[in-house]
Amino acid sequence: MIVWADGRWIDAAAPAALLADRGFALGDGLFETVLAEQGAPRFLARHHARLAAGAAALGLPPPPSLGEIEMLARETLHRSQLDATRAAVRIAWTAGRSARGLARDPAAPGALYVSAAPAPAPAHPAALVTARIRRNETSPTARWKTLSYLDSVMARREAELAGADEAVMLNTAGRVACAAAATLIVVVGDALVTPPLDDGALPGITRARLFDAGFSLVERRLTTADIEAAPAIALANALIGLRPAARLDGRALDPDHPRLRAAAAALVATE
Amino acid sequence: MIVWADGRWIDAAAPAALLADRGFALGDGLFETVLAEQGAPRFLARHHARLAAGAAALGLPPPPSLGEIEMLARETLHRSQLDATRAAVRIAWTAGRSARGLARDPAAPGALYVSAAPAPAPAHPAALVTARIRRNETSPTARWKTLSYLDSVMARREAELAGADEAVMLNTAGRVACAAAATLIVVVGDALVTPPLDDGALPGITRARLFDAGFSLVERRLTTADIEAAPAIALANALIGLRPAARLDGRALDPDHPRLRAAAAALVATE
């Protein structure tokens, strides 16, 4: 198959031609964004377990083994000359190729893509705004980290157009779900609370680390009133760790709140 | 940037390497599926107008001109040896490349991809089932034909696992929105009805042709009770034209209903 691809004719049967991949054509795949420090991917077993669980949920073939992915991640960092810095390794696992149309080819193997890029730590607390786009908690695109990521792209865009760093997403029932690309950690009274997965939260790696550390993080439904009254909010994901917020919709938050500092300390203790 | 891509190391800066494209990385782009007969794309001006409107809505750069896309579509059909048959031309317009992360590069040009594949007409009426995944009518992925298409992939998969051909999708409010990859046309009493765009329907090319033909198609909210009582339902899209349904959730429908035959005749009259 000869196709027009961004300025030239290419043979889509060639291995480097991704145009026939359903990940590109239909967002039919998953990805992980893994923190790497000095050439070493961090918490890769957790990322691999989530990738495998997502593949099973979406009906994709199981991804390559943890060992193979770790080898490729390290080699990608090395070949990208990123093995002496803080970097992000992106691992995509797609439904591979199929004939035209929505139906997958049940015999098609999945396809793996690994790339790496510099990922400096965020330099300051985040300014948040609540996005208009709702997160569809009935969809696997909310429950898993899929290549159909446009809702998050557009929510982040809403935040950036408003001069903020990140968006808070509500679900279709109007409850708080997550940030565009992070777990929300909210101080509610004396508790540190994060929304449950069935409200549209992604099962985040850092979120899971906080739960597994026995830290007093509580999973509970959150309303917009909860976040409007919260004295402090933080974002959590594998790349940023825990990043406090300085504002939500223009209202000042405490980025040095003791509950957030305790959570950050608990995270360090699990490393 | 050297990346691992489906079995080998490639240079992602090479033009054929799509891995750095945000369409692949994040589903950040749009596509059109255009019917071609004997090497000629049909209704391409309508497709181009929708692509341009979607790009404006998503904040993407405007796509290349209709003339340029028509030239590339015809050339793709020719190079794919599909200029003597019924085919589908797929046109993808993406946000192009950016640094890692959700934020687009405002200076990045978009990227265009054109491919073609055989597209025989459907041979029989469709069996439909109602999908569990809801269509997120608050999201641009419902309003535009985006590369973040996984909800439709998974809805179609539900249908196929149930032995059916296509899925009916409800929106988050429980109203009828559309099929996984088609407009729904429903006989309700004496009327021929299709859901409004703000219930999560895509502004379909065939849907627009029916409206523009002055045919008596009515845009009206549809409940599950409406489709459970409907004597006849059809699917409409640019590739299949109008395809009647034979069943919905196991209940028989009339694929030869006079209102559907009249709609099919109206479509032929606009060609």
Side-chain angles (χ1 to χ4, degrees):
Chain A
M1 183 169 71
I2 304 294
V3 301
W4 179 260
D6 194 16
R8 64 178 62 190
W9 298 103
I10 61 172
D11 181 353
L18 312 188
L19 200 55
D21 190 290
R22 292 173 60 88
F24 182 80
L26 298 163
D28 192 6
L30 297 157
F31 72 102
E32 294 288 330
T33 308
V34 181
L35 174 65
E37 293 174 314
Q38 280 71 48
R42 305 297 312 276
F43 310 107
L44 191 59
R46 289 182 185 267
H47 286 285
H48 183 263
R50 181 168 69 178
L51 194 64
L58 297 183
L60 301 176
S65 70
L66 173 59
E68 183 173 347
I69 288 181
E70 173 153 16
M71 183 275 290
L72 290 170
R74 286 177 179 269
E75 184 70 19
T76 303
L77 288 162
H78 181 67
R79 289 177 183 241
S80 304
Q81 300 180 296
L82 288 168
D83 43 10
T85 184
R86 195 178 193 278
V89 180
R90 185 186 165 99
I91 299 161
W93 176 241
T94 79
R97 298 177 192 200
S98 68
R100 203 201 68 72
L102 269 60
R104 294 184 189 140
D105 175 357
L112 184 76
Y113 302 93
V114 184
S115 57
H124 56 80
L128 308 179
V129 299
T130 305
R132 289 187 308 275
I133 294 176
R134 297 294 178 94
R135 192 159 171 100
N136 183 3
E137 72 277 15
T138 75
S139 165
T141 59
R143 180 70 176 77
W144 304 104
K145 202 168 175 76
T146 82
L147 294 171
S148 285
Y149 215 64
L150 187 59
D151 279 354
S152 286
V153 170
M154 296 304 292
R156 173 70 65 83
R157 185 175 154 83
E158 282 189 46
E160 287 167 355
L161 290 175
D165 301 301
E166 176 59 311
V168 169
M169 296 186 77
L170 310 179
N171 68 15
T172 66
R175 289 189 296 266
V176 178
C178 55
T183 298
L184 282 175
I185 310 276
V186 182
V187 176
V188 181
D190 284 337
L192 208 58
V193 179
T194 196
L197 301 186
D198 63 6
D199 266 351
L202 198 84
I205 301 301
T206 304
R207 181 184 191 274
R209 284 176 57 211
L210 281 169
F211 280 123
D212 291 354
F215 184 72
S216 57
L217 178 64
V218 178
E219 195 179 66
R220 188 195 298 166
R221 293 197 193 287
L222 284 174
T223 66
T224 52
D226 289 328
I227 59 172
E228 284 163 12
I233 298 176
L235 307 171
N237 73 28
L239 273 197
I240 61 179
L242 205 73
R243 182 185 186 189
R247 296 201 311 276
L248 169 62
D249 296 327
R251 181 176 70 86
L253 297 167
D254 178 7
D256 295 313
H257 193 280
R259 295 309 304 268
L260 298 188
R261 277 192 279 116
L267 265 187
V268 170
T270 71
E271 287 195 358
Chain B
M1 183 170 68
I2 304 295
V3 301
W4 179 259
D6 195 16
R8 65 178 62 192
W9 299 103
I10 62 172
D11 181 353
L18 312 188
L19 199 55
D21 190 289
R22 292 173 59 89
F24 183 82
L26 297 163
D28 191 6
L30 296 157
F31 72 103
E32 294 288 331
T33 308
V34 181
L35 174 65
E37 293 173 313
Q38 281 70 48
R42 304 297 312 277
F43 311 107
L44 191 59
R46 290 182 185 267
H47 286 285
H48 184 264
R50 181 169 68 179
L51 193 65
L58 297 184
L60 300 177
S65 71
L66 173 59
E68 183 173 346
I69 287 180
E70 174 153 16
M71 183 277 289
L72 291 170
R74 286 178 179 270
E75 184 70 19
T76 302
L77 287 161
H78 181 66
R79 289 178 184 241
S80 304
Q81 300 179 297
L82 289 168
D83 42 11
T85 184
R86 194 178 195 279
V89 180
R90 186 186 164 99
I91 298 160
W93 177 242
T94 79
R97 300 178 191 198
S98 68
R100 203 201 67 73
L102 269 60
R104 294 185 189 139
D105 175 356
L112 184 77
Y113 302 92
V114 184
S115 57
H124 55 80
L128 307 178
V129 299
T130 305
R132 289 187 309 275
I133 294 175
R134 298 293 179 94
R135 193 160 171 100
N136 183 3
E137 72 277 15
T138 74
S139 164
T141 59
R143 181 70 176 74
W144 305 104
K145 201 167 176 75
T146 81
L147 294 171
S148 285
Y149 216 62
L150 188 59
D151 279 354
S152 286
V153 171
M154 296 304 291
R156 174 70 65 82
R157 184 174 153 84
E158 282 189 47
E160 287 166 356
L161 290 175
D165 301 302
E166 177 58 311
V168 170
M169 297 185 77
L170 310 180
N171 68 16
T172 67
R175 290 188 295 267
V176 178
C178 55
T183 299
L184 282 175
I185 310 276
V186 182
V187 176
V188 180
D190 284 339
L192 208 58
V193 180
T194 196
L197 301 186
D198 63 6
D199 266 351
L202 198 85
I205 301 301
T206 304
R207 180 184 192 274
R209 285 175 58 211
L210 282 168
F211 281 122
D212 291 354
F215 183 72
S216 58
L217 178 64
V218 180
E219 195 179 67
R220 188 195 298 166
R221 293 197 193 287
L222 284 174
T223 65
T224 51
D226 288 327
I227 57 171
E228 284 164 11
I233 299 177
L235 306 172
N237 73 28
L239 272 197
I240 61 179
L242 206 72
R243 183 185 187 189
R247 297 202 311 276
L248 169 63
D249 296 325
R251 182 176 69 87
L253 298 166
D254 179 7
D256 295 314
H257 193 279
R259 297 307 306 269
L260 298 188
R261 278 192 279 115
L267 265 187
V268 169
T270 71
E271 287 197 356

